[in-house]
């Protein structure tokens, strides 16, 4: 659809002696193309300029909704913002595995008694979206005499960090977003992601399509892990550099994403969408002024990968 601007211009003729004679008005039409409208399936969405934080697009962008496993962005950010020792070894407890079974969450399939580093746990939490790895981080970096107390303490730290980052509508009730109690707005979640991407380790982790780890096992042998990134936009849309998927019944399919082209970075959020990757690609096209979404083919995940 085009918008038409009508302008009137009166032409004049100059005759001998300087007399002016007005001629008939001439009406000209200049066609101006209207900016294409962006339509996404998501119930909530936001796209920000990664440098300035300016909102480029929003759909119900300031309404808080459940955010599923995108919660783990904050889980990782709290750990990294502490300046945690990334080489610290953390023993895997049976409680971490029991949690996955009890809540039917995605898992990194951590084995009881194995010792993984904090760095490995970050990959395990952010790539296959392992709730067991998120639990291990919360238990390690929370304070208290029991697992429950330490986990509660860590979730409190997540909420304190949200306040510190001026995210008033963002609230956490768990380290993994398994329940509907962890919620945020598309805009605030994109702002959190923007801040997290300033950390070199976080940025490196979420950009990995796959990560292989070795860990000392309880029996003295070496355990080998392979974790695939559940974010299929990574490797499918040119320039995508992360970040995190999420999916629960209350939240629907969610995605926080970032992409860079030249000196321009975009960060976006999709909450509760029937087509989160298509939505994200259209939003990136909109932000970059490109035309990739229509012909994008999603990167396929190995058969044994987690789906989140």
């Amino acid at each position: 659809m085009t918008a038409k601007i009508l302008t009137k211009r009166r032409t004049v003729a100059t005759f001998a002696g300087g007399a002016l004679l007005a001629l008939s008005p001439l009406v000209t039409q200049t066609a101006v193309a209207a900016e294409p409208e962006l339509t996404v399936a998501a119930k909530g969405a936001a796209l920000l300029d990664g440098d300035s934080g300016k909102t480029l697009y929003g759909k119900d962008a300031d309404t808080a909704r459940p955010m599923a496993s995108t919660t783990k962005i904050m889980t990782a950010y709290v750990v990294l913002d502490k300046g945690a020792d990334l080489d610290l070894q953390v023993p895997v407890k049976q409680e971490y595995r029991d949690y996955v079974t009890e809540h039917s969450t995605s898992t990194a399939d951590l084995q009881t008694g194995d010792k993984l580093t904090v760095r490995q746990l970050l990959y395990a939490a952010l790539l296959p979206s392992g709730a067991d790895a998120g639990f291990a981080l919360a238990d390690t970096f929370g304070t208290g005499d029991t697992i429950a107390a330490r986990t509660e303490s860590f979730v409190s730290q997540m909420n304190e960090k949200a306040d510190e980052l001026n995210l008033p509508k963002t609230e956490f009730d768990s380290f993994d977003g398994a329940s509907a109690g962890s919620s945020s707005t598309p805009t605030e979640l994109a702002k959190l992601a923007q801040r997290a991407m300033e950390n070199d380790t976080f940025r490196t982790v979420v950009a990995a399509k796959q990560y292989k780890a070795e860990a000392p096992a309880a029996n003295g042998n070496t355990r080998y892990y392979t974790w695939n990134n559940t974010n299929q936009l990574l490797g499918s849309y040119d320039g995508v550099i992360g970040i995190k998927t999420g999916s629960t019944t209350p939240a629907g399919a969610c995605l926080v994403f970032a992409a860079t082209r030249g000196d321009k970075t975009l960060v976006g959020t999709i909450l509760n969408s029937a087509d989160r990757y298509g939505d994200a690609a259209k939003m990136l096209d909109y932000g970059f002024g490109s035309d990739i979404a229509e012909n994008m083919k999603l990167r396929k995940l190995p058969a044994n990968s987690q789906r989140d």
Side-chain angles (χ1 to χ4, degrees), residues 13-21:
T14 303
F15 290 85
L20 297 179
L21 176 64

Side-chain angles (χ1 to χ4, degrees), residues 24-289:
S24 302
L26 176 63
V27 178
T28 62
Q29 293 185 348
T30 304
V32 180
E35 189 174 79
E37 184 178 351
L38 177 60
T39 302
V40 297
K43 292 184 178 179
L47 183 69
L48 307 184
D49 181 282
D51 295 320
S52 68
K54 178 183 177 182
T55 298
L56 304 177
Y57 171 78
K59 177 182 178 181
D60 212 8
D62 297 318
T63 298
R65 300 179 184 278
M67 56 179 159
S69 288
T70 63
T71 293
K72 297 187 183 87
I73 296 172
M74 181 62 93
T75 303
Y77 182 68
V78 168
V79 171
L80 291 168
D81 197 51
K82 286 175 172 288
D85 179 1
L86 299 180
D87 296 318
L88 173 69
Q89 287 191 326
V90 177
V92 176
K93 298 176 182 178
Q94 181 62 37
E95 286 85 350
Y96 307 159
R97 292 181 58 84
D98 293 342
Y99 180 89
V100 167
T101 302
E102 180 181 352
H103 295 275
S104 300
T105 63
S106 50
T107 178
D109 197 24
L110 304 184
Q111 298 297 303
T112 302
D114 288 4
K115 294 180 179 179
L116 285 87
T117 66
V118 171
R119 186 190 308 276
Q120 290 171 332
L121 288 173
L122 289 169
Y123 278 98
L126 294 171
L127 269 61
S129 198
D132 43 0
F135 197 168
L137 291 170
D139 185 27
T140 301
F141 292 101
T143 58
D145 297 329
T146 65
I147 292 179
R150 289 189 292 273
T151 302
E152 182 178 352
S153 164
F154 187 84
V155 174
S156 293
Q157 293 176 47
M158 294 169 69
N159 285 309
E160 289 168 5
K161 187 61 64 176
D163 291 340
E164 180 183 316
L165 296 176
N166 193 27
L167 308 176
K169 294 185 179 180
T170 299
E171 185 174 357
F172 300 99
D173 72 345
S174 70
F175 51 80
D176 66 335
S179 73
S182 290
S183 60
S184 185
T185 71
T187 298
E188 290 189 7
L189 194 49
K191 288 181 177 179
L192 169 60
Q194 180 186 14
R195 178 59 68 90
M197 290 293 278
E198 294 175 1
N199 183 280
D200 291 340
T201 299
F202 183 90
R203 194 166 56 248
T204 298
V205 172
V206 298
K209 298 185 187 74
Q210 185 183 82
Y211 184 77
K212 296 186 176 182
E214 299 180 8
N219 61 8
N221 295 328
T222 299
R223 183 92 60 190
Y224 298 92
Y225 291 96
T226 298
W227 298 309
N228 295 297
N229 198 325
T230 58
N231 179 10
Q232 291 178 266
L233 194 66
L234 189 67
S236 302
Y237 188 101
D238 184 35
V240 169
I241 54 176
I243 299 178
K244 185 74 188 73
T245 60
S247 180
T248 62
T249 299
C254 304
L255 178 68
V256 179
F257 57 94
T260 296
R261 296 272 188 86
D263 59 357
K264 186 174 186 178
T265 297
L266 302 175
V267 181
T269 303
I270 296 290
L271 294 181
N272 201 336
S273 175
D275 184 17
R276 58 182 169 182
Y277 297 118
D279 283 349
K282 286 193 289 186
M283 289 167 65
L284 289 173
D285 274 355
Y286 181 85
F288 287 126

